[in-house]
Amino acid sequence: MARFLVTGGAGFIGSHLVDALAGAGAKVRVLDDLSTGRRENLPAAARLIVGDVADPGTVRAAMAGVDGCFHLAAIASVARAAEDWLGTHRVNLGGTIAVLDAARARGVPVVYASSAAVYGDCPDQPITETAPTRPLSAYGADKLGGELHAAVAARVFGVANVGLRFFNVYGPRQDPGSPYSGVISIFAGQLRRGEPVEVFGDGGQTRDFVAVADVVAALRAAMGRIGPGDAAGRITTPAVPQALVFNVCTGIATSIRALAAELAALEGGTAVIREGPARPGDIRHSVGCPDAARAALGLGPPMPLRAGLAGVRAWLDAGLRLERT
Ligand code: NAD
Ligand code: UD1
């Protein structure tokens, strides 16, 4: 039975990964400070360590005896990084270095969450992994810093690792009540409450929305490249440690206005749109090329946006039913 550490495992993406790993029979340990994550997101089979990913002693202890580490803990918001530059840097880059350092000490392969935010405003869309990286946010700069340290970790310290540049991930458990959450959950919540949706700027900016189930598949396939290949514990670590980086995306552009219309149609109406000021440093277009990840990780076709949004709606429905009982 393979044993995994998932940092940030009580969060949105992390908890879906924990469900999948535990469901496949793996032993899962989670390190999370529960700042945005929730204990209730975790299945009973997972062991939760409440602690700070930027604390080296905590991370080393959490990594003892595992076969692979998925590193997802971060302050996952461009806006929060703008408000608290140094505080988010401590967690987002400091936490990644703490994980790589513990992995070096314990000989553990690492799959970690990077972001499309490393690219900034890229003139060539869809964006391939070889495009220049020019982040437009402190958040993106720290994600890029994490990739640079991961490359050193492989080349110099022998830590096999894969970084996944997630584009805009959405799905059940993404908090509709937080202004720092993803746009899909925010809009879905506003439409549910019968409120207008607030579009920052003209709404012509585009994003590549990828369903959380597809992200979980990519995370598990990436671990299969460098570490325990499956829940039965087959180890496939290559002789020469690699530092690989892939986009996790669909290749499909959706404007923020089109997204609002699509969500409103699911509710059987039309969206009332309020235009707010553009967000400082907001990327105009962000659509990724999924081909390299598909080829290297053997991924299937992505979930269509409409089906994924219906899943979000069903999850919100279930939550409302629970609140009423
Ligand atoms: P999330 O906020 O739901 O999950 C992050 C988790 O990390 C939370 O459970 C939180 O409590 C935990 N955490 C935060 N600071 C911590 C600390 N100091 N110590 C321990 N735990 C800490 O966000 P998410 O959307 O699930 O993001 C997961 C990862 O994916 C992050 O690294 C994020 O940057 C990255 N990512 C997310 C998206 C997206 O669209 N959601 C896109 C690109 C990259
Ligand atoms: C998101 C992720 C980030 C990830 C990046 C990768 C979240 C919270 N952030 O950042 O972790 O690294 O993708 O591409 O998931 N918008 C509105 N109204 C709102 C909220 C947002 O118009 O109420 C607009 C924003 O201005 C932006 C777009 O929607 O243009 C997406 O915003 P958001 O969901 O915050 O994600 P990103 O900033 O793209």
Side-chain angles (χ1 to χ4, degrees), residues 12 75-79 114-118 139-140 143 165-170 174 179-187 190 197-201 203 205-209 256 259 274 277-279 282-284 286:
F12 159 51
I75 299 174
S77 157
V78 173
S114 184
S115 167
V118 300
Y139 170 82
K143 287 294 185 185
R165 294 174 173 168
F166 304 157
F167 280 63
N168 287 63
V169 189
Y170 71 96
Q174 200 171 24
Y180 298 113
S181 195
V183 65
I184 287 184
S185 60
I186 292 175
F187 281 4
Q190 287 167 333
V197 299
E198 185 176 6
V199 165
F200 301 151
Q205 64 269 43
T206 56
R207 291 292 184 273
D208 185 328
F209 293 106
I256 299 305
L259 172 71
R274 200 172 57 206
R279 201 159 69 181
D282 209 16
I283 292 171
R284 186 68 184 166
S286 174

Side-chain angles (χ1 to χ4, degrees), residues 10 71 195 208 242 274 288 297 312:
H71 170 49
E195 297 169 3
D208 185 328
Q242 296 172 292
R274 200 172 57 206
L297 304 178
V312 172

Side-chain angles (χ1 to χ4, degrees), residues 184-185 187-195 197 259-271 306 309-317 320:
I184 287 184
S185 60
F187 281 4
Q190 287 167 333
L191 287 164
R192 267 301 152 94
R193 296 190 294 273
E195 297 169 3
V197 299
L259 172 71
E262 187 79 40
L263 277 163
L266 271 176
E267 295 289 335
T270 49
R306 190 161 290 178
L309 294 181
V312 172
R313 184 166 184 268
W315 175 72
L316 285 171
D317 276 347
L320 288 179

Side-chain angles (χ1 to χ4, degrees), residues 8 10-14 31-37 51-54 72-76 90-91 113-115 139 143 166-169 174:
F12 159 51
I13 300 171
L31 173 64
D32 200 299
D33 70 353
L34 302 180
S35 51
T36 57
D52 182 3
V53 74
L72 300 173
I75 299 174
R90 182 188 154 277
V91 175
S114 184
S115 167
Y139 170 82
K143 287 294 185 185
F166 304 157
F167 280 63
N168 287 63
V169 189
Q174 200 171 24

Side-chain angles (χ1 to χ4, degrees), residues 52-100:
D52 182 3
V53 74
D55 179 66
T58 302
V59 181
R60 274 196 191 206
M63 215 178 279
V66 302
D67 303 307
C69 171
F70 294 94
H71 170 49
L72 300 173
I75 299 174
S77 157
V78 173
R80 278 193 63 197
E83 288 163 17
D84 180 13
W85 193 342
L86 203 52
T88 53
H89 170 71
R90 182 188 154 277
V91 175
N92 291 354
L93 185 53
T96 300
I97 295 173
V99 165
L100 294 169

Side-chain angles (χ1 to χ4, degrees), residues 235-263:
I235 307 290
T236 53
T237 309
V240 182
Q242 296 172 292
L244 303 166
V245 173
F246 298 109
N247 289 340
V248 176
C249 56
T250 67
I252 297 164
T254 305
S255 77
I256 299 305
R257 270 183 186 274
L259 172 71
E262 187 79 40
L263 277 163

